[in-house]
């Protein structure tokens, strides 16, 4: 009986211990659940705070953008007020199709520019899409006008580097692209000059010696850039020359202040970087030919704008002559300094178009500047404002074959 009683007592004790254990486990589980709930609550709070901060930063960023846009628009209008008003007056006096075709030519210019930038990134780890490249070209157009061209290249480097491309490589892409563009401008200008001279266009024959001089200067510039971008030996010679002239023991060291030493070093680094980028791209000959041809096609889009304007007034005018005249004008105008501070393009337009088309030459100069500078600036302002991908990394895309 005793053993039975003891056994019953033990069973009751064990049952009690088991119940206590379950109660203890339940308490632990409740505490763990409470901790999990607290952690989730903290995470939710932190996420909410981050979203609030993100919303505030996004609002501030958009506000700053709008302020920049408004200031830029006001500055450009004040700066180009006469040209803008004159352009609108001229557009009102012309048929609607003139404005439409000129706008299409301007947009097509940037469509092709997008193809060029995309082609230039074909050998990178991530090739930019055409649409990204198209927006990049307009993004640069916005900065080109407000900075008178000085920030256009920097803007392109920034935009390209924000699409998973190393900033150093982006810088090389931009510099070599500039060489291709100069090459395309020079080829078109030379072909046009020779063709117009053979055709006996009066103004070209009259100013033939200046056309030859402008052509030679353009050839020297583009040849120097091409050779520098393809010759390692020349790059090394230039670096040594900079050292001998501006280095610590250079010939002009007395005129170089300590704070300018870094600029001298930066110049040497830029020469080497330009050469390395050129060697990298020029070894891909198919790419070089493709981009050069695209540059020529791109510039032609702008060159046909004067032809559109001239035909609207002079029905019997040859559109090819007007297009070739503008190609020659741009080649010569970009390598010369006009008298009395006049714009070089406007000055050459007056020389080559004036005697042939009278007052229409003034319209050509006004509308050419409007469609090649003001219109791209306005469209680029929208890219600057609304393209959030310009300020963050974009997802990788599959590359095409060269």
């Amino acid at each position: 009986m005793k053993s039975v009683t003891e056994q019953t007592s033990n069973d009751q004790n064990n049952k009690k211990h088991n119940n206590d254990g379950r109660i203890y486990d339940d308490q632990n589980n409740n505490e763990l659940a409470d901790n999990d709930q607290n952690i989730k609550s903290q995470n939710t709070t932190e996420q909410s705070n981050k979203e609030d901060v993100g919303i505030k930063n996004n609002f501030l960023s958009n506000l700053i953008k709008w302020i920049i846009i408004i200031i830029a628009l006001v500055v450009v209008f004040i700066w180009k007020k006469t040209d803008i008003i004159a352009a609108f007056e001229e557009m009102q006096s012309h048929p609607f199709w003139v404005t439409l075709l000129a706008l299409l030519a301007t947009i097509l210019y940037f469509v092709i520019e997008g193809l060029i930038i995309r082609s230039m990134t074909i050998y990178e780890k991530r090739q930019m899409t055409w649409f990204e490249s198209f927006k990049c070209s307009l993004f640069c157009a916005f900065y080109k006008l407000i900075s008178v061209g000085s920030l256009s290249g920097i803007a392109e480097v920034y935009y390209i580097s924000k699409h998973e491309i190393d900033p150093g490589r982006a810088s090389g892409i931009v510099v070599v692209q500039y060489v291709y563009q100069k090459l395309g401008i020079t080829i078109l200008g030379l072909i046009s000059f020779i063709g117009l001279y053979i055709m006996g266009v009066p103004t070209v024959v009259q100013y033939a010696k200046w056309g030859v001089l402008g052509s030679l200067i353009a050839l020297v510039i583009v040849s120097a850039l091409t050779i520098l971008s393809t010759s390692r030996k020349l790059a090394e010679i230039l670096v040594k020359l900079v050292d001998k002239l501006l280095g610590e023991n250079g010939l002009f060291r007395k005129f170089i202040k300590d704070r300018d030493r870094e600029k001298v070093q930066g110049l040497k680094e830029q020469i080497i970087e330009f050469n390395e980028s050129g060697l990298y791209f020029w070894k891909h000959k198919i790419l070089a030919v493709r981009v050069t041809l695209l540059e020529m096609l791109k510039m032609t889009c702008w060159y046909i704008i004067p032809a559109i304007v001239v035909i609207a007034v002079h029905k019997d005018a040859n559109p090819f002559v007007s297009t070739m005249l503008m190609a020659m004008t741009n080649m010569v105008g970009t390598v010369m300094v006009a008298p009395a501070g006049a714009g070089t393009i406007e000055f050459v337009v007056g020389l080559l178009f004036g005697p042939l088309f009278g007052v229409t030459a003034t319209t050509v100069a006004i509308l050419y500047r409007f469609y090649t500078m003001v219109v791209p600036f306005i469209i680029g302002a929208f890219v600057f404002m609304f393209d959030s991908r310009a300020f963050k990394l974009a997802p990788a895309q599959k590359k095409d074959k060269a």
Side-chain angles (χ1 to χ4, degrees):
M1 288 292 295
K2 185 177 180 181
S3 61
V4 172
T5 303
E6 290 176 354
Q7 181 65 34
T8 301
S9 177
N10 289 335
D11 291 342
Q12 292 175 349
N13 290 333
N14 289 335
K15 191 178 292 184
K16 182 179 180 181
H17 287 310
N18 290 336
N19 290 334
D20 292 342
R22 282 196 295 272
I23 292 171
Y24 181 75
D25 290 339
D26 290 341
Q27 291 176 344
N28 285 339
N29 290 336
N30 289 336
E31 290 177 359
L32 290 173
D34 290 340
N35 288 336
D36 289 341
Q37 187 64 30
N38 290 334
I39 291 172
K40 289 179 180 178
S41 178
Q42 290 176 358
N43 290 338
T44 303
T45 302
E46 290 177 359
Q47 183 65 27
S48 178
N49 291 336
K50 288 181 179 179
E51 290 177 356
D52 290 341
V53 172
I55 292 172
K56 290 178 182 178
N57 288 340
N58 189 46
F59 173 78
L60 183 60
S61 175
N62 287 334
L63 180 62
I64 293 172
K65 285 181 182 180
W66 275 113
I67 292 173
I68 293 173
I69 291 290
I70 292 171
I71 293 174
L73 287 172
V74 171
V75 170
V76 168
F77 180 76
I78 294 173
W79 176 31
K80 294 289 184 179
K81 180 179 179 180
T82 303
D83 293 341
I84 293 172
I85 293 175
F88 277 106
E89 290 175 350
E90 292 293 341
M91 284 188 285
Q92 289 175 358
S93 65
H94 288 140
F96 177 72
W97 61 264
V98 174
T99 301
L100 181 61
L101 289 179
L103 282 173
L104 288 175
T106 299
I107 293 172
L108 186 57
Y109 174 97
F110 289 99
V111 168
I112 299 172
E113 177 83 348
L115 292 174
I116 292 170
I117 296 174
R118 173 172 166 76
S119 297
M120 295 292 288
T121 62
I122 195 170
Y123 294 110
E124 303 304 315
K125 292 180 180 178
R126 176 198 182 276
Q127 184 183 18
M128 292 176 67
T129 65
W130 169 81
F131 190 56
E132 290 168 347
S133 303
F134 173 68
K135 290 187 292 183
C136 177
S137 64
L138 290 169
F139 184 74
C140 298
F142 171 76
Y143 278 100
K144 182 178 181 179
L145 183 58
I146 62 175
S147 65
V148 199
S150 61
L151 293 179
S152 178
I154 296 174
E156 185 173 355
V157 171
Y158 170 81
Y159 197 99
I160 292 175
S161 66
K162 288 300 179 181
H163 290 77
E164 299 181 38
I165 295 176
D166 179 75
R169 297 285 304 136
S171 179
I173 289 171
V174 173
V175 171
V176 176
Q177 183 188 344
Y178 173 76
V179 177
Y180 286 136
Q181 178 167 303
K182 293 296 291 184
L183 182 60
I185 290 173
T186 302
I187 291 173
L188 279 177
L190 280 172
I191 292 174
S192 297
F193 172 56
I194 294 171
L196 291 169
Y197 186 82
I198 292 174
M199 293 167 64
V201 175
T203 52
V204 175
V205 173
Q206 181 181 355
Y207 297 106
K209 60 181 180 180
W210 298 110
V212 171
L213 179 60
S215 300
L216 288 175
I217 295 174
L219 275 174
V220 169
I221 292 173
V222 76
S223 298
L225 290 172
T226 303
I227 294 172
L228 178 58
S229 65
T230 56
S231 173
R232 171 72 70 182
K233 187 174 182 179
L234 178 60
E236 292 174 350
I237 291 173
L238 284 177
V239 170
K240 290 179 180 178
L241 182 63
V242 171
D243 263 333
K244 289 184 177 181
L245 294 177
L246 306 175
E248 293 182 0
N249 299 316
L251 184 62
F252 300 103
R253 61 184 182 277
K254 294 181 180 179
F255 303 98
I256 304 298
K257 298 179 180 179
D258 292 338
R259 64 173 180 270
D260 295 326
R261 296 294 177 189
E262 292 183 2
K263 295 181 181 179
V264 174
Q265 182 61 31
L267 176 60
K268 293 190 291 184
E269 292 174 357
Q270 287 175 0
I271 293 173
I272 296 299
E273 181 181 296
F274 176 59
N275 178 253
E276 290 177 349
S277 299
L279 288 171
Y280 180 82
F281 283 104
W282 284 106
K283 72 179 181 181
H284 301 289
K285 294 180 174 57
I286 295 178
L287 174 64
V289 173
R290 178 198 304 170
V291 173
T292 302
L293 291 175
L294 284 173
E295 289 287 358
M296 294 169 65
L297 181 61
K298 179 188 77 173
M299 295 308 303
T300 301
C301 292
W302 274 358
Y303 295 160
I304 64 175
I305 292 176
I308 295 170
V309 175
V310 168
I311 290 175
V313 180
H314 303 271
K315 308 298 182 182
D316 58 343
N318 187 334
F320 293 103
V321 169
S322 299
T323 302
M324 294 167 70
L325 278 172
M326 196 63 226
M328 180 182 169
T329 296
N330 195 46
M331 178 190 70
V332 175
T334 54
V335 298
M336 67 172 288
V337 178
T344 55
I345 297 298
E346 289 80 358
F347 177 73
V348 181
V349 165
L351 290 179
L352 298 181
F353 283 80
L356 298 176
F357 307 112
V359 295
T360 306
T362 304
T363 305
V364 167
I366 292 172
L367 292 182
Y368 181 80
R369 282 300 190 190
F370 179 77
Y371 286 110
T372 61
M373 294 183 67
V374 179
V375 171
F377 164 78
I378 294 172
I379 302 174
F382 285 96
V383 176
F384 174 82
M385 184 64 224
F386 296 108
D387 183 18
S388 60
R389 296 187 71 186
F391 304 96
K392 65 181 180 180
L393 292 178
Q397 299 288 337
K398 187 177 180 181
K399 296 197 322 180
D400 293 339
K401 293 182 181 180

